Amino acid sequence: MTAIVVTPETRAPVPARPGGGLARSFRAEWIKLTRRRMLTGTLLALTVIAAGGTAIGITAARDTAPGGRVQSPDQPTTIAALDHAGGGTALFSQTMGFMQAFLLAVLVGAVAAEFTRGTFRTMLLQQPNRARVFGGKIAAIVAFMAVAVLLGEIVSWLTSWAMAPSQGVDTTRWITLDGLQAGAEDFARAIAYVVGTAVLASMVGILARSIPIGVGVALVWAGPIENIIGDSWSPGPKVFPGLLMRAVINPGSTPVSTGQALLTLTGYCIVAAAIAVIALRRRDVTS
């Protein structure tokens, strides 16, 4: 009996499905992200973090620093800064900055889980092009997080608006055209922050392919390495991705300008995406 050998030349072609591979990957990931349990958990966590972080920030707002020294009005935790047009969303940006390690760990775990559970292998049965699967997943994650960021900013603004009078904050300029522009700028900064985090986290998750390993590496890097070495090493804010994203979401928190941070982060994201695609193409995908 002659054995039948299946080669790339003799393999039956996979029937073409309607729509592009990237679009199908996006829809598949979007369906997963918008499941009822996922939406409920996201909305609950979003409300608690946005409202809680804003409430803590506005309650701690002072015009003077310890020792009676007047703080700079451009600091987001001062009442003088909250009186400005962008005061309604300043505390949301600050809260986003504090969530960096948590957000990175969640995204790394979500990507690594695709390999430990075998779902990535299943997706490749429907769309063999791994780069398109990766691109569709990233696009869906960023789109979902963009909606979450917008909702979080709204919740934060409403919390600030409700608590401002009791803290002596003047909200008159919040509802002006300048206030709207400041809110849009904070939203754009948050989106850039999310995109950078999503791409870098996806690379770590794809390389690790293990939730404990990937999350552990992400937390060690975002915590001790960046915050200890980066803050004490003068070139750190210019080269460490976490500190660069801090400069984007909270301008003035590091000596690096927003433009320089965005330019460097763009380079990092291009390299990270290339590494992720190469790793996907060259390594076996097993369950």
Side-chain angles (χ1 to χ4, degrees):
M1 184 175 182
T2 303
I4 299 176
V5 179
V6 178
T7 65
E9 290 75 16
T10 60
R11 185 184 294 117
V14 179
R17 295 174 178 270
L22 187 65
R24 292 202 302 272
S25 299
F26 178 93
R27 285 196 297 269
E29 186 69 17
W30 184 260
I31 291 172
K32 184 178 67 175
L33 292 171
T34 54
R35 291 176 299 180
R36 179 178 298 179
R37 180 179 298 180
M38 182 70 176
L39 284 177
T40 302
T42 300
L43 289 174
L44 179 61
L46 190 68
T47 302
V48 171
I49 292 173
T54 301
I56 293 173
I58 199 170
T59 302
R62 298 290 184 272
D63 272 335
T64 58
R69 291 177 288 106
V70 178
Q71 292 184 351
S72 172
D74 61 354
Q75 296 297 320
T77 53
T78 63
I79 293 178
L82 295 178
D83 285 339
H84 291 175
T89 55
L91 291 173
F92 173 71
S93 297
Q94 189 178 49
T95 302
M96 286 283 293
F98 288 143
M99 290 176 56
Q100 183 179 29
F102 171 76
L103 185 61
L104 183 65
V106 168
L107 291 175
V108 168
V111 174
E114 300 284 4
F115 297 94
T116 57
R117 297 171 183 170
T119 52
F120 195 84
R121 181 186 183 188
T122 303
M123 287 188 290
L124 292 179
L125 296 177
Q126 299 297 320
Q127 172 50 256
N129 190 309
R130 302 184 183 193
R132 291 180 181 177
V133 172
F134 172 73
K137 286 178 64 64
I138 293 295
I141 291 173
V142 169
F144 181 79
M145 294 184 68
V147 176
V149 165
L150 178 59
L151 293 177
E153 189 171 15
I154 293 173
V155 171
S156 178
W157 192 93
L158 292 175
T159 304
S160 297
W161 178 270
M163 296 186 63
S166 64
Q167 301 301 314
V169 177
D170 182 10
T171 61
T172 304
R173 299 176 63 184
W174 292 10
I175 53 177
T176 63
L177 180 59
D178 289 340
L180 181 61
Q181 291 176 343
E185 180 181 338
D186 286 336
F187 177 72
R189 290 180 182 275
I191 294 301
Y193 175 83
V194 164
V195 171
T197 304
V199 174
L200 295 173
S202 297
M203 181 196 68
V204 175
I206 288 171
L207 294 178
R209 300 196 178 193
S210 166
I211 298 176
I213 295 176
V215 172
V217 169
L219 290 178
V220 169
W221 177 264
I225 294 180
E226 289 212 342
N227 289 325
I228 296 177
I229 299 178
D231 288 340
S232 59
W233 182 45
S234 56
K238 298 179 181 179
V239 297
F240 283 7
L243 298 182
L244 290 169
M245 284 188 282
R246 185 188 302 174
V248 171
I249 194 70
N250 287 315
S253 59
T254 72
V256 181
S257 67
T258 301
Q260 182 181 355
L262 285 174
L263 183 62
T264 308
L265 278 174
T266 300
Y268 276 143
C269 288
I270 293 173
V271 173
I275 292 174
V277 171
I278 292 172
L280 284 174
R281 286 178 172 176
R282 292 184 177 275
R283 295 173 61 186
D284 291 334
V285 179
T286 62
S287 58

